[in-house]
Structures are given as structure tokens and as C-alpha cells.
Amino acid sequence: MVFQGRNEMKTTDEKIFEALDGFAIEIPSWGFANTGTRFGKFVQAEAATSIEEKFADAAQVHALTGASPTLALHVLWDLPHGVSDAPLIQALQQKYGVRAGSINPNLFQDQKYKHGSICNPSAEVRQMAIQHLVDSVEIARRLDSRDVSLWIADGSNYPGTQSIPRRIDYLMEAMAATHAKLGPEQRMLIEYKPFEPAFYHTDIADWGMALLLARHAGAKAFVLVDTGHHYQAQNIEQIVAWLLREDALGGFHFNDRRYADDDLTIGSIDPYQVFRIFHELLSHPYGLKQTAFMIDQSHNLKGKLEAMVQSVCGAQELFAKAALIDQERLAELQKDARLVEAEECLRSAFWFDVRPVVRAWRRSRGLREDPLEELRTNGYLEKVRAERRERNSGSVSSYA
Ligand code: PSV
Ligand code: MN
């Protein structure tokens, strides 16, 4: 298969190698811990029980894939004492060779947040939530972490129970107060989600609201697209194209879904969608420049580490495929409205089997060809299961 543009002399292998050399995707600390659904938890012996174990697992995933050098941290879960936990994280970064990635404030678990955090009708609760955001900015600064990633779970369940416009004012105030604390190299990413945990209205429900909030907050505020946070049938790559055009795209939380915010493995349901998103990024001159790639998945049936390695490898493959699209030729075909040829130009890259070249790339970079197989046989899983089994048994009488 030839994927050469008229002026481009790069071979398919070269394009894939170049793409993979420049590709990194952050993994979430919460993907290694025991989590479940609201109906229950199936506890895993290998699940991380401390922040150190999360760093150890992240280092293992990075050693196997060569593509996940940073670990997203959730403040309440990973730095329960706030800023004073920063030295511990610094030490873990040193020890495991994985850096702290985005810092995720937690504004959804405290009992005081029953009616919202930064949108709560109580000024006292709003102030407490803003203080947590400000502390999160400070944590990120101490850890040299560029992004503070805000997901606001606020909303209401019944019409008439809250004032939507008043809560918009509260949102604007909190975002501005947080933005004012950002250092020159820091950014805040604003994540949107149409539902859950609230079921009537969510205060930041879609990309339009997130974009307006970012615009009002200031130049260091950007929008974060979580692929699981859309209504069915939403064209996500179109949102990406708009955000890129507005220089407002900060990053992604990747995961897949069939029904709601299902947290399934990236590309497991609709790999073509991920490919189309990567295509929008690659066809934009600065699409990759400031776009952070992160996985936001916590698996309760798949093995934690296996799922994470599979996710990173899946993301690499889809990115490699998108890098094969002949952008120059595609632009010409689109201009002439040669529909079938244009579509085939896109599709042929998608259907090209990049896996042999990805394996060759791994070999050439000193990595194992098959990271999943390596994980199953290198002894890491047995070791951590033995070490952690007891601690994970906690509240359950038996578990896998
Ligand atoms: C909320 O559904 C979300 O996507 C946010 O990014 C949280 O930080 C994350 O999941 C973990 O709960
Ligand atoms: Mn998310």
C-alpha cells in the first residue's frame, strides 16, 4: 500500500515511526485502584492500594509501552492532605521515573457538596470549593504539572429546584478565581458532561458552555473533551474541529462507550471514531501542539494493568493509522468533491494493518514487541498480586 503524498517521500514505515515517536498518552491513577459500579465492586488482588503502588503500576505500563510517561492524579484520592503531600509525590516521581500529569481537583465527594460545589447556593460551600481549586493549582505548581483538569459534577435533579442563571454567575466567579492563581506555564482544562450525577441539569453540560467559561476565565483556560461525555450520535470530531479553530482545545479524556459514560477501553466499541478525532488533530497545523492525551478509564471486570496496557497500545495503533492519511491528497479530493475517492482515502488508512510496523517500532526502540504478552509473563502481576492480596481482601469474603 502506498501512502505517499505527491511531495512527500516518506514511506509508510517512516510515517508510523515518526508518529509513534511523538505520541504519549497519560494514564489515570484511578485506573489502578479498585473501583466498581454503583451496584457493587469486584475486587482485584492486583489493584493498587496506595499512591506508591499506583506509581509502580504506571511505571510498569510505561516500561511496556514506551508511551505513558505521566500519571494523572486525583487530589482527594492521591493527595488526601493536599499540598503537604507534594513532597511524597516528588519522591515517587524520582523513584519510578513517571511524572505527575494533570491534577484533578475533587469537588464531588464531600458531604457538603450535596447541592453542588462551586455552584452551591451556600456562599460558604462555594468558598470551600474555590479554595480546593486554588490548592489544586498550588499542588500542580509544586509538581511542575502543567494542567489542572476541572470536572464539575454540579447540577440538579428536578426542575425549579435551582436557579440555572445564578449558578452560571457562580461558575464564572470560581473559574476566574482559579485562573487568577495559574502561573505562566500552567493551564486549566474545563471538562463538560451532559448528565450524571445530576439528572435534570448539569452546570457544565456541553462544549459550548465549557468554551464560554474558558473564554471568560482567561487565556490559560481550555476545553477538555471526554469522549464518554456526549449524547448518543454526537459528532465528536466536529466539536474537535471547532475547538481547534478557536484555539480552545486543551486535551482529551479517552474511553469508549455504548450507552452512557461507560469507561470502556478506548476504541473497543468505535475505533473509527477515535481515528476520526486523530484525523482532525493531524489535519490542523497546530492540532497536536497543546493537546493533552489522557485515558480516563477505570475497569471493574478487566485486569487493571492488562486493561491499561491494552488501552495505550490501542491508542498507539489508532494514532499510527491516522498518521497514514494523505492529508494533501485528501484536501484536493475534497476540493473537487470526489466523494468516493475522498472517503476511500480516509478509509484505506483506517483499514491498513499497522500492527507489524508498530511491532517493528517497538523492537527498534528497545521495547518488547508484544506488551500484553510481556505483562502476562514477566512476573510483575504475580508479584503485586501476592503483595497486595491481603490488603485488597478488606470488605469482601472472596474475590478473584
Ligand atoms: C467524570 O465522569 C470524569 O470523567 C472526570 O474526568 C473525573 O475526574 C473522572 O471521570 C474520574 O471520576
Ligand atoms: Mn473525564
Side-chain angles (χ1 to χ4, degrees), residues 112-144:
K112 291 220 167 76
Y113 296 148
K114 183 172 177 182
H115 302 299
S117 59
I118 54 176
C119 300
N120 197 295
S122 151
E124 191 194 323
V125 177
R126 290 201 302 278
Q127 193 43 49
M128 169 182 157
I130 290 175
Q131 189 56 49
H132 180 70
L133 292 177
V134 169
D135 291 346
S136 301
V137 171
E138 179 58 17
I139 289 170
R141 202 184 59 72
R142 294 267 185 104
L143 297 175
D144 273 331

PDB file of all heavy atoms in Angstrom, residues 112-144:
ATOM      1  N   LYS A 112     -20.678  18.097  52.082  1.00  0.00           N
ATOM      2  CA  LYS A 112     -21.135  19.486  51.910  1.00  0.00           C
ATOM      3  C   LYS A 112     -21.552  19.773  50.465  1.00  0.00           C
ATOM      4  O   LYS A 112     -22.219  20.765  50.190  1.00  0.00           O
ATOM      5  CB  LYS A 112     -20.007  20.443  52.309  1.00  0.00           C
ATOM      6  CG  LYS A 112     -19.692  20.448  53.791  1.00  0.00           C
ATOM      7  CD  LYS A 112     -19.419  21.890  54.237  1.00  0.00           C
ATOM      8  CE  LYS A 112     -19.409  22.057  55.732  1.00  0.00           C
ATOM      9  NZ  LYS A 112     -18.205  21.573  56.384  1.00  0.00           N
ATOM     10  N   TYR A 113     -21.129  18.915  49.525  1.00  0.00           N
ATOM     11  CA  TYR A 113     -21.415  19.178  48.109  1.00  0.00           C
ATOM     12  C   TYR A 113     -22.736  18.559  47.624  1.00  0.00           C
ATOM     13  O   TYR A 113     -22.939  18.398  46.426  1.00  0.00           O
ATOM     14  CB  TYR A 113     -20.258  18.678  47.234  1.00  0.00           C
ATOM     15  CG  TYR A 113     -18.941  19.408  47.474  1.00  0.00           C
ATOM     16  CD1 TYR A 113     -17.721  18.753  47.340  1.00  0.00           C
ATOM     17  CD2 TYR A 113     -18.927  20.749  47.840  1.00  0.00           C
ATOM     18  CE1 TYR A 113     -16.520  19.416  47.557  1.00  0.00           C
ATOM     19  CE2 TYR A 113     -17.722  21.418  48.069  1.00  0.00           C
ATOM     20  CZ  TYR A 113     -16.532  20.746  47.925  1.00  0.00           C
ATOM     21  OH  TYR A 113     -15.354  21.410  48.140  1.00  0.00           O
ATOM     22  N   LYS A 114     -23.597  18.231  48.551  1.00  0.00           N
ATOM     23  CA  LYS A 114     -24.880  17.621  48.168  1.00  0.00           C
ATOM     24  C   LYS A 114     -25.616  18.476  47.125  1.00  0.00           C
ATOM     25  O   LYS A 114     -26.203  17.954  46.185  1.00  0.00           O
ATOM     26  CB  LYS A 114     -25.739  17.437  49.423  1.00  0.00           C
ATOM     27  CG  LYS A 114     -27.059  16.761  49.164  1.00  0.00           C
ATOM     28  CD  LYS A 114     -27.755  16.432  50.479  1.00  0.00           C
ATOM     29  CE  LYS A 114     -29.120  15.812  50.237  1.00  0.00           C
ATOM     30  NZ  LYS A 114     -29.816  15.537  51.507  1.00  0.00           N
ATOM     31  N   HIS A 115     -25.599  19.780  47.302  1.00  0.00           N
ATOM     32  CA  HIS A 115     -26.304  20.654  46.347  1.00  0.00           C
ATOM     33  C   HIS A 115     -25.335  21.416  45.450  1.00  0.00           C
ATOM     34  O   HIS A 115     -25.675  22.471  44.905  1.00  0.00           O
ATOM     35  CB  HIS A 115     -27.219  21.617  47.101  1.00  0.00           C
ATOM     36  CG  HIS A 115     -28.222  20.899  47.947  1.00  0.00           C
ATOM     37  ND1 HIS A 115     -29.164  20.047  47.419  1.00  0.00           N
ATOM     38  CD2 HIS A 115     -28.385  20.854  49.301  1.00  0.00           C
ATOM     39  CE1 HIS A 115     -29.889  19.523  48.394  1.00  0.00           C
ATOM     40  NE2 HIS A 115     -29.435  19.987  49.549  1.00  0.00           N
ATOM     41  N   GLY A 116     -24.137  20.847  45.310  1.00  0.00           N
ATOM     42  CA  GLY A 116     -23.163  21.476  44.423  1.00  0.00           C
ATOM     43  C   GLY A 116     -21.929  21.934  45.155  1.00  0.00           C
ATOM     44  O   GLY A 116     -21.909  21.999  46.392  1.00  0.00           O
ATOM     45  N   SER A 117     -20.897  22.236  44.376  1.00  0.00           N
ATOM     46  CA  SER A 117     -19.629  22.708  44.962  1.00  0.00           C
ATOM     47  C   SER A 117     -19.477  24.193  44.643  1.00  0.00           C
ATOM     48  O   SER A 117     -19.980  25.025  45.387  1.00  0.00           O
ATOM     49  CB  SER A 117     -18.470  21.876  44.422  1.00  0.00           C
ATOM     50  OG  SER A 117     -18.381  21.950  42.997  1.00  0.00           O
ATOM     51  N   ILE A 118     -18.879  24.513  43.498  1.00  0.00           N
ATOM     52  CA  ILE A 118     -18.720  25.937  43.168  1.00  0.00           C
ATOM     53  C   ILE A 118     -20.052  26.582  42.770  1.00  0.00           C
ATOM     54  O   ILE A 118     -20.132  27.793  42.647  1.00  0.00           O
ATOM     55  CB  ILE A 118     -17.652  26.168  42.066  1.00  0.00           C
ATOM     56  CG1 ILE A 118     -17.946  25.332  40.817  1.00  0.00           C
ATOM     57  CG2 ILE A 118     -16.261  25.871  42.596  1.00  0.00           C
ATOM     58  CD1 ILE A 118     -16.989  25.593  39.661  1.00  0.00           C
ATOM     59  N   CYS A 119     -21.090  25.779  42.564  1.00  0.00           N
ATOM     60  CA  CYS A 119     -22.416  26.336  42.233  1.00  0.00           C
ATOM     61  C   CYS A 119     -23.394  26.198  43.387  1.00  0.00           C
ATOM     62  O   CYS A 119     -24.600  26.440  43.238  1.00  0.00           O
ATOM     63  CB  CYS A 119     -23.007  25.625  41.017  1.00  0.00           C
ATOM     64  SG  CYS A 119     -22.012  25.776  39.550  1.00  0.00           S
ATOM     65  N   ASN A 120     -22.905  25.787  44.537  1.00  0.00           N
ATOM     66  CA  ASN A 120     -23.793  25.576  45.686  1.00  0.00           C
ATOM     67  C   ASN A 120     -24.478  26.892  46.078  1.00  0.00           C
ATOM     68  O   ASN A 120     -23.852  27.954  46.040  1.00  0.00           O
ATOM     69  CB  ASN A 120     -22.951  25.060  46.867  1.00  0.00           C
ATOM     70  CG  ASN A 120     -23.809  24.438  47.944  1.00  0.00           C
ATOM     71  OD1 ASN A 120     -24.605  25.116  48.574  1.00  0.00           O
ATOM     72  ND2 ASN A 120     -23.651  23.142  48.140  1.00  0.00           N
ATOM     73  N   PRO A 121     -25.765  26.838  46.458  1.00  0.00           N
ATOM     74  CA  PRO A 121     -26.426  28.073  46.882  1.00  0.00           C
ATOM     75  C   PRO A 121     -25.780  28.706  48.113  1.00  0.00           C
ATOM     76  O   PRO A 121     -25.942  29.910  48.352  1.00  0.00           O
ATOM     77  CB  PRO A 121     -27.867  27.643  47.183  1.00  0.00           C
ATOM     78  CG  PRO A 121     -27.950  26.178  46.981  1.00  0.00           C
ATOM     79  CD  PRO A 121     -26.677  25.680  46.374  1.00  0.00           C
ATOM     80  N   SER A 122     -25.039  27.933  48.878  1.00  0.00           N
ATOM     81  CA  SER A 122     -24.379  28.486  50.077  1.00  0.00           C
ATOM     82  C   SER A 122     -23.028  29.099  49.719  1.00  0.00           C
ATOM     83  O   SER A 122     -22.145  28.420  49.161  1.00  0.00           O
ATOM     84  CB  SER A 122     -24.190  27.360  51.108  1.00  0.00           C
ATOM     85  OG  SER A 122     -23.043  27.619  51.906  1.00  0.00           O
ATOM     86  N   ALA A 123     -22.863  30.377  50.097  1.00  0.00           N
ATOM     87  CA  ALA A 123     -21.593  31.074  49.817  1.00  0.00           C
ATOM     88  C   ALA A 123     -20.439  30.383  50.532  1.00  0.00           C
ATOM     89  O   ALA A 123     -19.321  30.316  50.014  1.00  0.00           O
ATOM     90  CB  ALA A 123     -21.701  32.530  50.253  1.00  0.00           C
ATOM     91  N   GLU A 124     -20.722  29.837  51.690  1.00  0.00           N
ATOM     92  CA  GLU A 124     -19.656  29.185  52.463  1.00  0.00           C
ATOM     93  C   GLU A 124     -19.139  27.940  51.733  1.00  0.00           C
ATOM     94  O   GLU A 124     -17.930  27.711  51.646  1.00  0.00           O
ATOM     95  CB  GLU A 124     -20.241  28.804  53.829  1.00  0.00           C
ATOM     96  CG  GLU A 124     -19.225  28.363  54.832  1.00  0.00           C
ATOM     97  CD  GLU A 124     -19.904  27.693  56.023  1.00  0.00           C
ATOM     98  OE1 GLU A 124     -20.995  28.145  56.432  1.00  0.00           O
ATOM     99  OE2 GLU A 124     -19.339  26.695  56.528  1.00  0.00           O
ATOM    100  N   VAL A 125     -20.063  27.142  51.208  1.00  0.00           N
ATOM    101  CA  VAL A 125     -19.646  25.926  50.479  1.00  0.00           C
ATOM    102  C   VAL A 125     -18.924  26.318  49.186  1.00  0.00           C
ATOM    103  O   VAL A 125     -17.901  25.721  48.828  1.00  0.00           O
ATOM    104  CB  VAL A 125     -20.864  25.010  50.181  1.00  0.00           C
ATOM    105  CG1 VAL A 125     -20.420  23.797  49.369  1.00  0.00           C
ATOM    106  CG2 VAL A 125     -21.533  24.569  51.474  1.00  0.00           C
ATOM    107  N   ARG A 126     -19.431  27.336  48.502  1.00  0.00           N
ATOM    108  CA  ARG A 126     -18.754  27.778  47.271  1.00  0.00           C
ATOM    109  C   ARG A 126     -17.321  28.180  47.577  1.00  0.00           C
ATOM    110  O   ARG A 126     -16.399  27.844  46.850  1.00  0.00           O
ATOM    111  CB  ARG A 126     -19.505  28.962  46.639  1.00  0.00           C
ATOM    112  CG  ARG A 126     -20.840  28.613  46.036  1.00  0.00           C
ATOM    113  CD  ARG A 126     -21.285  29.646  45.013  1.00  0.00           C
ATOM    114  NE  ARG A 126     -21.389  30.995  45.527  1.00  0.00           N
ATOM    115  CZ  ARG A 126     -22.419  31.493  46.206  1.00  0.00           C
ATOM    116  NH1 ARG A 126     -23.458  30.720  46.457  1.00  0.00           N
ATOM    117  NH2 ARG A 126     -22.438  32.745  46.617  1.00  0.00           N
ATOM    118  N   GLN A 127     -17.141  28.883  48.689  1.00  0.00           N
ATOM    119  CA  GLN A 127     -15.800  29.334  49.054  1.00  0.00           C
ATOM    120  C   GLN A 127     -14.883  28.148  49.345  1.00  0.00           C
ATOM    121  O   GLN A 127     -13.718  28.119  48.933  1.00  0.00           O
ATOM    122  CB  GLN A 127     -15.885  30.280  50.271  1.00  0.00           C
ATOM    123  CG  GLN A 127     -14.614  31.049  50.543  1.00  0.00           C
ATOM    124  CD  GLN A 127     -13.961  31.614  49.264  1.00  0.00           C
ATOM    125  OE1 GLN A 127     -14.627  32.247  48.443  1.00  0.00           O
ATOM    126  NE2 GLN A 127     -12.670  31.332  49.071  1.00  0.00           N
ATOM    127  N   MET A 128     -15.440  27.149  50.015  1.00  0.00           N
ATOM    128  CA  MET A 128     -14.658  25.940  50.325  1.00  0.00           C
ATOM    129  C   MET A 128     -14.219  25.258  49.014  1.00  0.00           C
ATOM    130  O   MET A 128     -13.069  24.819  48.859  1.00  0.00           O
ATOM    131  CB  MET A 128     -15.553  24.997  51.139  1.00  0.00           C
ATOM    132  CG  MET A 128     -15.032  23.608  51.333  1.00  0.00           C
ATOM    133  SD  MET A 128     -16.296  22.645  52.265  1.00  0.00           S
ATOM    134  CE  MET A 128     -15.828  20.985  51.788  1.00  0.00           C
ATOM    135  N   ALA A 129     -15.117  25.218  48.044  1.00  0.00           N
ATOM    136  CA  ALA A 129     -14.805  24.577  46.752  1.00  0.00           C
ATOM    137  C   ALA A 129     -13.752  25.379  45.986  1.00  0.00           C
ATOM    138  O   ALA A 129     -12.819  24.805  45.402  1.00  0.00           O
ATOM    139  CB  ALA A 129     -16.089  24.438  45.933  1.00  0.00           C
ATOM    140  N   ILE A 130     -13.891  26.689  46.011  1.00  0.00           N
ATOM    141  CA  ILE A 130     -12.897  27.530  45.316  1.00  0.00           C
ATOM    142  C   ILE A 130     -11.523  27.341  45.962  1.00  0.00           C
ATOM    143  O   ILE A 130     -10.506  27.235  45.277  1.00  0.00           O
ATOM    144  CB  ILE A 130     -13.334  29.021  45.320  1.00  0.00           C
ATOM    145  CG1 ILE A 130     -14.546  29.201  44.408  1.00  0.00           C
ATOM    146  CG2 ILE A 130     -12.176  29.929  44.867  1.00  0.00           C
ATOM    147  CD1 ILE A 130     -15.154  30.597  44.414  1.00  0.00           C
ATOM    148  N   GLN A 131     -11.524  27.261  47.291  1.00  0.00           N
ATOM    149  CA  GLN A 131     -10.246  27.052  47.981  1.00  0.00           C
ATOM    150  C   GLN A 131      -9.599  25.741  47.539  1.00  0.00           C
ATOM    151  O   GLN A 131      -8.382  25.662  47.343  1.00  0.00           O
ATOM    152  CB  GLN A 131     -10.473  27.064  49.511  1.00  0.00           C
ATOM    153  CG  GLN A 131      -9.182  27.066  50.318  1.00  0.00           C
ATOM    154  CD  GLN A 131      -8.256  28.235  49.952  1.00  0.00           C
ATOM    155  OE1 GLN A 131      -8.684  29.385  49.894  1.00  0.00           O
ATOM    156  NE2 GLN A 131      -6.979  27.916  49.646  1.00  0.00           N
ATOM    157  N   HIS A 132     -10.413  24.721  47.330  1.00  0.00           N
ATOM    158  CA  HIS A 132      -9.868  23.433  46.863  1.00  0.00           C
ATOM    159  C   HIS A 132      -9.257  23.590  45.460  1.00  0.00           C
ATOM    160  O   HIS A 132      -8.203  23.013  45.158  1.00  0.00           O
ATOM    161  CB  HIS A 132     -10.967  22.367  46.856  1.00  0.00           C
ATOM    162  CG  HIS A 132     -10.482  21.020  46.386  1.00  0.00           C
ATOM    163  ND1 HIS A 132      -9.630  20.232  47.139  1.00  0.00           N
ATOM    164  CD2 HIS A 132     -10.699  20.336  45.236  1.00  0.00           C
ATOM    165  CE1 HIS A 132      -9.360  19.111  46.469  1.00  0.00           C
ATOM    166  NE2 HIS A 132      -9.996  19.157  45.311  1.00  0.00           N
ATOM    167  N   LEU A 133      -9.915  24.384  44.620  1.00  0.00           N
ATOM    168  CA  LEU A 133      -9.360  24.620  43.276  1.00  0.00           C
ATOM    169  C   LEU A 133      -8.029  25.365  43.361  1.00  0.00           C
ATOM    170  O   LEU A 133      -7.055  25.016  42.672  1.00  0.00           O
ATOM    171  CB  LEU A 133     -10.363  25.416  42.414  1.00  0.00           C
ATOM    172  CG  LEU A 133     -11.652  24.674  42.040  1.00  0.00           C
ATOM    173  CD1 LEU A 133     -12.595  25.592  41.257  1.00  0.00           C
ATOM    174  CD2 LEU A 133     -11.344  23.426  41.223  1.00  0.00           C
ATOM    175  N   VAL A 134      -7.997  26.357  44.224  1.00  0.00           N
ATOM    176  CA  VAL A 134      -6.769  27.149  44.397  1.00  0.00           C
ATOM    177  C   VAL A 134      -5.649  26.241  44.936  1.00  0.00           C
ATOM    178  O   VAL A 134      -4.503  26.288  44.474  1.00  0.00           O
ATOM    179  CB  VAL A 134      -7.050  28.356  45.333  1.00  0.00           C
ATOM    180  CG1 VAL A 134      -5.755  29.033  45.757  1.00  0.00           C
ATOM    181  CG2 VAL A 134      -7.991  29.344  44.646  1.00  0.00           C
ATOM    182  N   ASP A 135      -5.983  25.386  45.897  1.00  0.00           N
ATOM    183  CA  ASP A 135      -4.989  24.441  46.432  1.00  0.00           C
ATOM    184  C   ASP A 135      -4.501  23.498  45.331  1.00  0.00           C
ATOM    185  O   ASP A 135      -3.318  23.138  45.290  1.00  0.00           O
ATOM    186  CB  ASP A 135      -5.592  23.592  47.560  1.00  0.00           C
ATOM    187  CG  ASP A 135      -5.880  24.421  48.816  1.00  0.00           C
ATOM    188  OD1 ASP A 135      -5.383  25.564  48.903  1.00  0.00           O
ATOM    189  OD2 ASP A 135      -6.623  23.925  49.687  1.00  0.00           O
ATOM    190  N   SER A 136      -5.405  23.099  44.457  1.00  0.00           N
ATOM    191  CA  SER A 136      -5.025  22.183  43.371  1.00  0.00           C
ATOM    192  C   SER A 136      -4.043  22.852  42.410  1.00  0.00           C
ATOM    193  O   SER A 136      -3.116  22.207  41.905  1.00  0.00           O
ATOM    194  CB  SER A 136      -6.269  21.723  42.606  1.00  0.00           C
ATOM    195  OG  SER A 136      -7.159  21.065  43.480  1.00  0.00           O
ATOM    196  N   VAL A 137      -4.251  24.148  42.176  1.00  0.00           N
ATOM    197  CA  VAL A 137      -3.303  24.901  41.327  1.00  0.00           C
ATOM    198  C   VAL A 137      -1.927  24.904  41.990  1.00  0.00           C
ATOM    199  O   VAL A 137      -0.891  24.707  41.328  1.00  0.00           O
ATOM    200  CB  VAL A 137      -3.807  26.347  41.091  1.00  0.00           C
ATOM    201  CG1 VAL A 137      -2.739  27.196  40.399  1.00  0.00           C
ATOM    202  CG2 VAL A 137      -5.100  26.340  40.271  1.00  0.00           C
ATOM    203  N   GLU A 138      -1.920  25.083  43.307  1.00  0.00           N
ATOM    204  CA  GLU A 138      -0.650  25.106  44.042  1.00  0.00           C
ATOM    205  C   GLU A 138       0.031  23.729  43.991  1.00  0.00           C
ATOM    206  O   GLU A 138       1.253  23.631  43.800  1.00  0.00           O
ATOM    207  CB  GLU A 138      -0.909  25.552  45.492  1.00  0.00           C
ATOM    208  CG  GLU A 138       0.310  25.594  46.381  1.00  0.00           C
ATOM    209  CD  GLU A 138       1.428  26.516  45.867  1.00  0.00           C
ATOM    210  OE1 GLU A 138       1.160  27.370  45.007  1.00  0.00           O
ATOM    211  OE2 GLU A 138       2.578  26.348  46.331  1.00  0.00           O
ATOM    212  N   ILE A 139      -0.759  22.676  44.126  1.00  0.00           N
ATOM    213  CA  ILE A 139      -0.199  21.312  44.031  1.00  0.00           C
ATOM    214  C   ILE A 139       0.438  21.134  42.650  1.00  0.00           C
ATOM    215  O   ILE A 139       1.572  20.653  42.522  1.00  0.00           O
ATOM    216  CB  ILE A 139      -1.309  20.250  44.247  1.00  0.00           C
ATOM    217  CG1 ILE A 139      -1.752  20.238  45.710  1.00  0.00           C
ATOM    218  CG2 ILE A 139      -0.833  18.867  43.815  1.00  0.00           C
ATOM    219  CD1 ILE A 139      -2.997  19.405  45.979  1.00  0.00           C
ATOM    220  N   ALA A 140      -0.278  21.527  41.615  1.00  0.00           N
ATOM    221  CA  ALA A 140       0.248  21.380  40.240  1.00  0.00           C
ATOM    222  C   ALA A 140       1.548  22.166  40.086  1.00  0.00           C
ATOM    223  O   ALA A 140       2.511  21.686  39.481  1.00  0.00           O
ATOM    224  CB  ALA A 140      -0.797  21.848  39.234  1.00  0.00           C
ATOM    225  N   ARG A 141       1.580  23.362  40.668  1.00  0.00           N
ATOM    226  CA  ARG A 141       2.790  24.203  40.556  1.00  0.00           C
ATOM    227  C   ARG A 141       3.973  23.510  41.232  1.00  0.00           C
ATOM    228  O   ARG A 141       5.056  23.414  40.664  1.00  0.00           O
ATOM    229  CB  ARG A 141       2.517  25.562  41.212  1.00  0.00           C
ATOM    230  CG  ARG A 141       3.420  26.680  40.729  1.00  0.00           C
ATOM    231  CD  ARG A 141       3.167  27.963  41.489  1.00  0.00           C
ATOM    232  NE  ARG A 141       3.366  27.822  42.927  1.00  0.00           N
ATOM    233  CZ  ARG A 141       4.545  27.686  43.531  1.00  0.00           C
ATOM    234  NH1 ARG A 141       5.650  27.700  42.822  1.00  0.00           N
ATOM    235  NH2 ARG A 141       4.621  27.550  44.830  1.00  0.00           N
ATOM    236  N   ARG A 142       3.742  22.976  42.419  1.00  0.00           N
ATOM    237  CA  ARG A 142       4.823  22.284  43.154  1.00  0.00           C
ATOM    238  C   ARG A 142       5.338  21.076  42.382  1.00  0.00           C
ATOM    239  O   ARG A 142       6.499  20.704  42.498  1.00  0.00           O
ATOM    240  CB  ARG A 142       4.318  21.773  44.502  1.00  0.00           C
ATOM    241  CG  ARG A 142       3.938  22.826  45.456  1.00  0.00           C
ATOM    242  CD  ARG A 142       5.110  23.207  46.374  1.00  0.00           C
ATOM    243  NE  ARG A 142       4.603  24.150  47.344  1.00  0.00           N
ATOM    244  CZ  ARG A 142       4.325  23.837  48.609  1.00  0.00           C
ATOM    245  NH1 ARG A 142       4.571  22.624  49.050  1.00  0.00           N
ATOM    246  NH2 ARG A 142       3.827  24.734  49.411  1.00  0.00           N
ATOM    247  N   LEU A 143       4.437  20.425  41.646  1.00  0.00           N
ATOM    248  CA  LEU A 143       4.831  19.189  40.949  1.00  0.00           C
ATOM    249  C   LEU A 143       5.253  19.449  39.505  1.00  0.00           C
ATOM    250  O   LEU A 143       5.478  18.508  38.744  1.00  0.00           O
ATOM    251  CB  LEU A 143       3.674  18.177  40.986  1.00  0.00           C
ATOM    252  CG  LEU A 143       3.262  17.701  42.380  1.00  0.00           C
ATOM    253  CD1 LEU A 143       2.037  16.804  42.302  1.00  0.00           C
ATOM    254  CD2 LEU A 143       4.414  16.971  43.061  1.00  0.00           C
ATOM    255  N   ASP A 144       5.328  20.740  39.125  1.00  0.00           N
ATOM    256  CA  ASP A 144       5.663  21.097  37.738  1.00  0.00           C
ATOM    257  C   ASP A 144       4.696  20.481  36.749  1.00  0.00           C
ATOM    258  O   ASP A 144       5.083  20.064  35.662  1.00  0.00           O
ATOM    259  CB  ASP A 144       7.075  20.592  37.376  1.00  0.00           C
ATOM    260  CG  ASP A 144       8.113  21.602  37.770  1.00  0.00           C
ATOM    261  OD1 ASP A 144       7.780  22.796  37.778  1.00  0.00           O
ATOM    262  OD2 ASP A 144       9.247  21.168  38.090  1.00  0.00           O
TER     263      ASP A 144
END
